[in-house]
Amino acid sequence: MRSVPMLDLGTEYKLFEDEVRSAVHTVLESQHFIGGPSVTELERRLAEMMEVPHAVAVSNGSDALLCALMAMEVGPGDEVVVPSFTFFATAGSVARTGATPVFADVDEKTFNVTPETLERVITPKTKVIVPVHLYGQCADMPAIMAVAERHGAMVLEDAAQAFGAAIGGKKAGSFGQLSTLSFYPTKNLGGFGEGGMIFGGDAKLVERCLQLRNHGQTQRYIHEFVGGNFRLDTMKASILLVKTRYVEEFTRRRMYAERLAGAAVQTPEVPDNRLHVFHQYTIKVDRRDELQAFLTDRGVGSTIYYPRPLHLQPCFSHLGYSEGDLPVSERLSHNVLSIPCHPMLSDDDIDYVASCIREFTG
Ligand SMILES: *Cc1c(COP(=O)(O)O)cnc(C)c1O
């Protein structure tokens, strides 16, 4: 039987194995393991690719969010609006600052927050809005920036899943006061271990992130405020530099095209002015769990991102949300399914996945 896994990092690695080995060898010879020229070069190159003035490399995508929120001086008494339908870190990082996450619902078709869902939950205490570009599709940032401005809130874009995505030709991550990326190995620009980055145009906020990354140190052993150890390893940065040479080509290869036509599932909707980078290819289908089992039986991988919306997570029960509060997020958690979507899929693999889904939906 054919097997189409969710990921195939092993095959991908073969394409740049020699370059990675040589980059690692250079780091080993230097015996310099934290920060240094590879990290600076990675920051420079990614700022250029994201079309943002400054970048600060950090330990992972969750710390990138935490560090950015700390730089925005978010803390107890502040509210930060986040989508309920996203990866946990978006809201977890808010809670770690002592601020209150306030959950917004998402759009049924794009899976992202919209000006309307944000307006419903913004209050005078809203300090920051955190749109997530879920699955690789840029949220409606021009409209969201206008909403934030009207309410005097800052915007932190969680672009962890959306490296290279755009709206109206402008890159995801280049709209907010700050934005973040993750280099978790399965992300579009995946590293060899943990890693993340913060982007921004405001020199003061960026300077603050640089200081927070190193325990709030402003001069050697002088700590103006409390930060953390959010530093990125040299070896990971030098491997990511290799991968930056491949990421655009790999992103192009994620395109599923129209192969699912005829299957009774909702395929991702991409409005005209958006560039979707398909971190995940996520369909919506009734009888989702049955389809997942059906695909498993036929050797096709799939994953549910995400089976429980964040406003219903046990750790946020003290916030007083209950079922029915954010109906779209709740509904999506019951009928989304992400199917294999990675650069190493062949046309035959994709045809096979599509034919299995068509067979299921009749
Ligand atoms: C992956 C991810 C993060 C966190 O990144 P890590 O590097 O795993 O800490 C944050 N937000 C979203 C939307 C993500 O997908």
Side-chain angles (χ1 to χ4, degrees):
M1 189 177 62
R2 224 186 160 88
S3 159
V4 186
M6 278 299 276
L7 279 168
D8 187 1
L9 295 175
T11 304
E12 211 178 286
Y13 175 52
K14 293 294 163 208
L15 299 178
F16 44 76
E17 181 176 2
D18 293 344
E19 287 166 83
V20 166
R21 283 179 181 277
S22 139
V24 168
H25 180 75
T26 304
V27 176
L28 293 178
E29 290 296 304
S30 79
Q31 289 292 299
H32 186 136
F33 294 114
I34 295 159
S38 315
V39 170
T40 313
E41 174 60 13
L42 183 68
E43 290 171 336
R44 195 197 59 74
R45 196 175 297 176
L46 288 186
E48 195 177 283
M49 293 175 92
M50 295 274 285
E51 297 167 9
V52 177
H54 309 287
V56 179
V58 294
S59 31
N60 57 63
S62 306
D63 285 347
L65 289 166
L66 176 61
C67 183
L69 290 166
M70 289 169 82
M72 290 167 150
E73 300 183 80
V74 167
D78 295 327
E79 292 181 354
V80 176
V81 176
V82 297
S84 177
F85 193 63
T86 175
F87 178 60
F88 178 76
T90 314
S93 59
V94 172
R96 286 191 61 193
T97 67
T100 306
V102 172
F103 295 103
D105 213 348
V106 296
D107 175 69
E108 186 100 45
K109 293 201 164 136
T110 62
F111 308 119
N112 282 326
V113 291
T114 66
E116 295 72 35
T117 66
L118 293 172
E119 289 278 11
R120 267 180 240 150
V121 299
I122 289 172
T123 76
K125 288 188 187 165
T126 303
K127 186 154 186 176
V128 180
I129 297 169
V130 189
V132 176
H133 308 302
L134 202 72
Y135 305 145
Q137 165 135 276
C138 190
D140 186 358
M141 287 314 298
I144 290 171
M145 292 309 292
V147 169
E149 233 163 86
R150 201 158 57 244
H151 291 277
M154 289 181 279
V155 173
L156 166 61
E157 295 177 75
D158 182 346
Q161 303 188 0
F163 181 73
I167 178 166
K170 189 164 156 52
K171 292 277 167 76
S174 70
F175 289 88
Q177 277 74 23
L178 292 173
S179 66
T180 60
L181 269 190
S182 161
F183 305 127
Y184 188 77
T186 63
K187 297 283 155 78
N188 284 30
L189 178 56
F192 284 22
E194 307 277 0
M197 201 164 284
I198 304 168
F199 298 86
D202 179 326
K204 267 218 183 84
L205 281 176
V206 171
E207 175 72 17
R208 181 64 75 99
C209 291
L210 280 169
Q211 294 162 346
L212 286 164
R213 172 171 75 178
N214 198 17
H215 290 297
Q217 184 170 276
T218 47
Q219 306 162 45
R220 199 146 198 219
Y221 299 120
I222 303 298
H223 302 266
E224 295 275 347
F225 35 82
V226 177
N229 173 358
F230 300 138
R231 296 180 299 250
L232 182 67
D233 296 338
T234 314
M235 197 143 5
K236 292 179 193 162
S238 59
I239 293 169
L240 281 162
L241 276 169
V242 171
K243 291 201 78 178
T244 59
R245 298 197 277 271
Y246 291 84
V247 66
E248 282 167 343
E249 165 65 16
F250 284 178
T251 296
R252 276 192 290 279
R253 291 205 218 171
R254 286 172 176 266
M255 302 305 161
Y256 243 77
E258 301 306 319
R259 288 195 174 78
L260 285 170
V265 297
Q266 183 192 299
T267 54
E269 181 160 301
V270 188
D272 275 349
N273 58 349
R274 316 266 175 113
L275 178 66
H276 194 319
V277 293
F278 291 102
H279 169 59
Q280 297 297 343
Y281 192 95
T282 303
I283 58 176
K284 259 178 59 189
V285 58
D286 299 331
R287 299 195 290 143
R288 186 264 319 271
D289 296 346
E290 279 173 66
L291 172 59
Q292 184 167 42
F294 186 88
L295 292 176
T296 304
D297 286 346
R298 281 153 187 78
V300 175
S302 66
T303 309
I304 299 164
Y305 299 112
Y306 297 90
R308 172 124 37 139
L310 299 187
H311 68 286
L312 300 179
Q313 291 292 342
C315 66
F316 294 135
S317 62
H318 63 284
L319 297 174
Y321 289 90
S322 42
E323 224 157 304
D325 286 345
L326 300 173
V328 179
S329 298
E330 291 166 29
R331 207 151 52 233
L332 291 176
S333 70
H334 292 294
N335 55 28
V336 289
L337 189 66
S338 300
I339 57 178
C341 180
H342 58 79
M344 298 298 113
L345 288 178
S346 67
D347 286 353
D348 286 349
D349 289 332
I350 297 177
D351 284 338
Y352 178 65
V353 174
S355 74
C356 290
I357 293 173
R358 262 196 304 272
E359 188 188 338
F360 176 82
T361 62

